[in-house]
């Protein structure tokens, strides 16, 4: 039953007033917490955490960071999965006017060391044994060991018996010690102010648009501007009774802005998963705790293959989004048909984005969608195809391929400590600041965006451009093909190996013939290589380097 107070709160949120005057990521979340203190903000392994508790934890962590001796502008690093502590740290750093630097929870000690060297971070939060290894490698930083079960009461005790936290030693301390006596935190004596732009608030690791590892600096405004459009993307004005399946960690732009931040800015709930577990995800969906799902293709493949991902319970799903890797069109159709079979209305849509624009900047939605596109640009964003071969960028007409350029209010501030690359990725057109994407694509007459390929993936065969994604989309339609990945050989740049999840040897010649007839003789792979299952990266994306190693070892 809605009270007048709730109705006023819902109207306030629906009008986006929580973002008015926002100077950090925590500002709109704090507004939502004040309006809906009893609502569930986070759900973690069966436990609900209210907005009131979230607010209290953020204040506690923020206070401890400052009492430990950290100064405004410093970076705080955490390599944690989606557990409550990662959310507390995300907003505590913002509340304390520190910079947020999340890393992959499986980052090696060497990768963490490299990251803190770039950002100047003096403190790192990481899971148990990983924290011990990082502390041994990174003598210049204090490492705080965190238990993934820290928020689970009696379950914490059971977990600690199985996986005890490392003991305090040198620059390694436990989270409980940090929270109890933050002033005793053994920080290195000198302050290391992060060498970032004044407006940079969040630091995300990325390959950059050129594939070279970079640290991308995002402002709070950019992330908040995307979160403010979140409900438009999801197609809901009120999400206070809705939940998001939060699997993508906050070190990932999509996981940060849409998987966690957008819902908390609007009074919604995030169902946190430190690691995707198919049965647990299905259980939360069947209980009605999840209405929105975002993830990579393999997440949806896993859900669809589970026998209990069925029945009337699927009607509670509102919409789902996929991206971050090659998306087979067959997957979109399979998901939609499966949900429809049980009377559900949720559809699976593909979008497009890059960390330089926080994440998603165009997407298909219930109100505007078109097959074989990545949707229309979000409100306030513009995406155009350009020819950069001349002295100045030339905008291309509809249906002509070029490099996509993006402008809007979610653009990054910088590549940290890399003025040259920052200058190269930005360009001006019609008085607006654009970012180059490194992606080949085009717009059509209706304003939909067509993504063709990363330019670095395009293969020139006898001077003719060949698009691996076009090969993959065709191959996946053939019966017996579980997945497809077309990869050029570095030692023979014009030779493409088509990797297939499958066991039928007759697929090899059948696929070559089909590709030759349906695409071109130039697109015909030099070889079709069968594997039982594709190796994947820590982000569940197809690991092309591992596929090439399998191929070469078989020769």
């Amino acid at each position: 039953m809605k009270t007048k107070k709730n109705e006023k709160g819902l109207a306030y949120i629906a009008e986006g007033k929580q973002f008015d005057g926002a100077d950090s990521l925590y500002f709109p979340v704090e507004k939502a917490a004040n309006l809906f203190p009893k609502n569930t903000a986070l759900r973690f392994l069966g436990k609900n955490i209210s907005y009131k508790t979230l607010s209290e934890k953020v204040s506690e962590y923020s206070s401890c960071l400052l009492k430990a001796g950290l100064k405004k502008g410093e970076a705080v690093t955490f390599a944690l999965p989606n557990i409550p502590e990662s959310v507390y740290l995300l907003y505590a750093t913002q509340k304390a006017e520190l910079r947020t630097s999340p890393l992959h929870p499986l980052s090696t000690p060497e990768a963490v060391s490299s990251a803190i060297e770039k950002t100047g971070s003096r403190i790192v939060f990481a899971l148990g044994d990983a924290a011990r290894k990082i502390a041994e490698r990174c003598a210049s930083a204090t490492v705080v060991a965190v238990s993934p079960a820290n928020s689970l009461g009696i379950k914490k005790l059971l977990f600690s018996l199985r996986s005890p936290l490392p003991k305090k030693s040198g620059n390694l301390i436990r989270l409980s010690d940090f929270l109890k006596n933050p002033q005793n935190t053994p920080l290195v004596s000198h302050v290391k102010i992060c060498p970032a732009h004044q407006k940079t608030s969040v630091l995300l690791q990325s390959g950059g648009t050129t594939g070279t590892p970079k640290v991308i600096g995002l402002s709070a405004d950019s992330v908040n501007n995307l979160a403010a459009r979140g409900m438009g993307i999801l197609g809901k004005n009120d999400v206070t009774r809705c939940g998001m399946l939060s699997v993508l960690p906050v070190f990932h732009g999509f996981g940060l802005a849409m998987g966690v931040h957008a819902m908390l800015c609007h009074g919604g709930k995030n169902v946190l998963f430190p690691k995707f577990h198919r049965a647990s995800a299905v259980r939360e969906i069947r209980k009605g705790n999840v209405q929105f799902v975002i993830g990579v293709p393999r997440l949806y493949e896993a859900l669809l293959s589970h026998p209990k991902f069925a029945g009337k319970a699927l009607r509670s799903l509102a919409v789902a989004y996929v991206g971050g890797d090659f998306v087979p069109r067959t997957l979109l159709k399979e998901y939609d048909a499966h949900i429809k079979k049980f009377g559900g209305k949720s559809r699976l849509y593909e979008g497009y984005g890059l960390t330089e624009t926080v994440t998603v900047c165009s997407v298909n939605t219930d109100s505007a969608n078109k097959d074989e596109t990545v949707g229309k640009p979000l409100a306030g964003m513009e995406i155009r195809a350009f020819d950069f071969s001349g002295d100045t960028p030339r905008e291309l007409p509809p249906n002509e391929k070029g490099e996509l350029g993006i402008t809007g209010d979610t653009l990054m501030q910088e590549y940290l400590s890399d003025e040259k690359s920052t200058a190269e990725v930005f360009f001006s057109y019609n008085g607006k600041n654009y970012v180059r994407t490194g992606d080949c694509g085009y717009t059509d007459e209706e304003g939909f965006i067509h993504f063709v390929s990363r330019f670095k993936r395009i293969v020139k065969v006898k001077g003719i451009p060949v698009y691996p994604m076009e090969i993959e989309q065709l191959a996946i339609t053939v019966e017996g093909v579980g997945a497809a990945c077309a990869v050029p050989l570095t030692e023979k740049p014009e030779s493409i190996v088509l990797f297939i999840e499958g066991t039928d040897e007759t697929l090899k010649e059948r696929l070559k013939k089909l590709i030759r007839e349906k695409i071109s003789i130039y697109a015909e792979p030099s070889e079709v290589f069968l594997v039982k299952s594709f190796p994947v990266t820590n982000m569940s994306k197809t690991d092309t380097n591992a596929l090439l190693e399998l191929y070469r070892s078989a020769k």
Side-chain angles (χ1 to χ4, degrees):
M1 181 177 178
K2 291 183 180 179
T3 65
K4 287 186 177 181
K5 183 178 179 181
N6 279 341
E7 288 177 353
K8 286 183 178 180
L10 291 172
Y12 182 93
I13 292 293
E15 292 171 17
K17 290 184 177 180
Q18 70 274 36
F19 294 100
D20 292 348
D23 56 1
S24 74
L25 297 192
Y26 185 52
F27 187 98
V29 176
E30 188 174 31
K31 294 289 186 183
N34 291 337
L35 290 168
F36 310 109
K38 294 182 181 180
N39 280 21
T40 297
L42 307 173
R43 180 173 169 82
F44 179 62
L45 300 183
K47 179 181 178 179
N48 292 329
I49 298 171
S50 70
Y51 272 87
K52 181 176 183 293
T53 299
L54 170 63
S55 182
E56 291 170 348
K57 288 292 185 180
V58 170
S59 293
E60 178 189 11
Y61 279 56
S62 174
S63 175
C64 288
L65 288 168
L66 295 175
K67 287 179 180 178
L70 295 169
K71 305 299 181 184
K72 178 180 176 180
E74 285 196 73
V76 173
T77 300
F78 54 95
L80 297 172
N82 276 8
I83 59 178
E85 288 68 29
S86 66
V87 180
Y88 302 155
L89 284 165
L90 167 64
Y91 294 117
T93 51
Q94 295 289 300
K95 184 179 176 69
E97 297 184 70
L98 300 164
R99 291 188 167 102
T100 310
S101 179
L103 302 178
H104 195 295
L106 298 180
S107 295
T108 64
E110 290 72 26
V112 175
S113 178
S114 174
I116 64 175
E117 184 177 338
K118 293 175 183 176
T119 63
S121 180
R122 292 193 290 165
I123 190 165
V124 179
F125 294 80
L127 294 181
D129 194 52
R132 178 185 60 78
K133 294 176 181 177
I134 293 169
E136 292 173 354
R137 176 68 176 77
C138 307
S140 63
T142 298
V143 182
V144 183
V146 181
S147 167
N150 192 65
S151 301
L152 296 179
I154 188 65
K155 290 183 180 179
K156 176 184 176 182
L157 176 61
L158 296 174
F159 185 88
S160 64
L161 292 174
R162 294 196 306 268
S163 303
L165 284 174
K167 294 180 180 180
K168 179 179 178 181
S169 175
N171 63 329
L172 175 66
I173 62 173
R174 293 180 174 182
L175 179 63
S176 56
D177 296 325
F178 172 76
L179 297 175
K180 186 176 181 180
N181 295 300
Q183 65 278 6
N184 295 335
T185 303
L187 291 177
V188 292
S189 57
H190 58 287
V191 177
K192 298 181 179 180
I193 299 300
C194 178
H197 186 281
Q198 184 179 356
K199 288 188 175 181
T200 291
S201 182
V202 179
L203 301 159
L204 297 183
Q205 308 290 316
S206 173
T209 61
T210 63
T212 304
K214 294 178 174 66
V215 179
I216 293 178
L218 301 171
S219 69
D221 285 343
S222 291
V223 182
N224 282 335
N225 289 335
L226 179 56
R229 299 184 179 104
M231 300 309 99
I233 296 171
L234 298 175
K236 292 277 188 179
N237 291 325
D238 176 10
V239 296
T240 56
R241 297 175 182 270
C242 298
M244 170 73 75
L245 187 71
S246 298
V247 176
L248 293 175
V250 295
F251 77 88
H252 188 287
F254 205 20
L256 167 67
M258 289 300 297
V260 172
H261 190 51
M263 290 296 282
L264 295 180
C265 289
H266 293 85
K269 170 178 62 183
N270 291 317
V271 183
L272 300 177
F273 279 79
K275 184 179 181 181
F276 178 67
H277 186 266
R278 186 178 61 156
S280 298
V282 170
R283 185 161 54 248
E284 292 292 344
I285 291 170
R286 292 180 65 85
K287 286 181 177 180
N289 289 318
V290 174
Q291 283 66 50
F292 311 118
V293 183
I294 61 173
V296 295
R298 287 187 178 271
L299 179 147
Y300 293 99
E301 291 167 359
L303 289 177
L304 289 167
S305 67
H306 195 285
K308 291 188 177 181
F309 187 67
K312 294 181 179 179
L314 299 190
R315 297 177 187 176
S316 67
L317 291 173
V319 70
Y321 291 97
V322 63
D325 201 2
F326 166 67
V327 180
R329 297 188 191 111
T330 51
L331 175 64
L332 304 178
K333 293 176 181 178
E334 183 183 358
Y335 176 92
D336 292 350
H338 186 79
I339 298 296
K340 186 177 181 180
K341 180 171 68 174
F342 296 104
K345 295 182 179 180
S346 170
R347 288 189 61 186
L348 179 59
Y349 293 119
E350 186 176 4
Y352 167 77
L354 52 158
T355 313
E356 284 80 358
T357 62
V358 182
T359 176
V360 61
C361 53
S362 77
V363 69
N364 285 291
T365 64
D366 283 337
S367 59
N369 58 82
K370 185 176 182 179
D371 288 347
E372 300 184 18
T373 77
V374 289
K376 288 186 174 182
L378 301 183
M381 304 295 290
E382 296 176 21
I383 304 177
R384 307 175 189 277
F386 291 93
D387 176 1
F388 289 99
S389 62
D391 293 334
T392 58
R394 179 175 68 89
E395 184 181 354
L396 299 173
N399 302 309
E400 188 171 334
K401 295 186 183 78
E403 182 177 346
L404 297 177
I406 304 170
T407 188
D409 58 6
T410 68
L411 301 191
M412 72 173 194
Q413 290 295 316
E414 62 183 330
Y415 290 130
L416 185 67
S417 300
D418 192 342
E419 292 182 6
K420 182 175 182 293
S421 294
T422 301
E424 289 173 349
V425 80
F426 284 112
F427 68 97
S428 181
Y429 178 74
N430 281 351
K432 295 181 180 180
N433 204 28
Y434 279 76
V435 66
R436 295 183 63 166
T437 65
D439 293 332
C440 177
Y442 61 94
T443 62
D444 63 25
E445 296 87 346
E446 298 175 79
F448 285 93
I449 309 301
H450 296 250
F451 172 79
V452 177
S453 175
R454 292 287 290 165
F455 269 107
K456 66 181 182 181
R457 283 202 75 200
I458 297 175
V459 183
K460 286 287 186 75
V461 178
K462 296 183 178 179
I464 304 299
V466 173
Y467 306 102
M469 195 169 82
E470 190 176 18
I471 297 172
E472 295 159 354
Q473 290 286 13
L474 179 60
I476 200 69
T477 64
V478 177
E479 186 176 353
V481 175
C485 184
V487 185
L489 291 175
T490 51
E491 59 269 31
K492 296 180 181 179
E494 291 196 354
S495 296
I496 298 172
V497 177
L498 176 59
F499 293 92
I500 294 296
E501 273 191 1
T503 57
D504 185 356
E505 289 289 333
T506 65
L507 284 170
K508 294 181 177 181
E509 290 306 317
R510 284 163 50 203
L511 284 167
K512 282 188 175 186
K513 182 174 183 291
L514 182 67
I515 292 164
R516 185 169 62 247
E517 293 176 350
K518 295 291 185 180
I519 303 178
S520 73
I521 58 172
Y522 303 104
E524 181 183 345
S526 57
E527 189 167 350
V528 176
F529 193 81
L530 304 181
V531 296
K532 289 184 179 179
S533 62
F534 282 179
V536 295
T537 66
N538 290 333
M539 282 301 297
S540 295
K541 296 182 181 182
T542 299
D543 191 334
T544 55
N545 289 329
L547 283 175
L548 286 171
E549 287 179 14
L550 285 173
Y551 171 78
R552 289 172 181 135
S553 64
K555 295 300 166 182

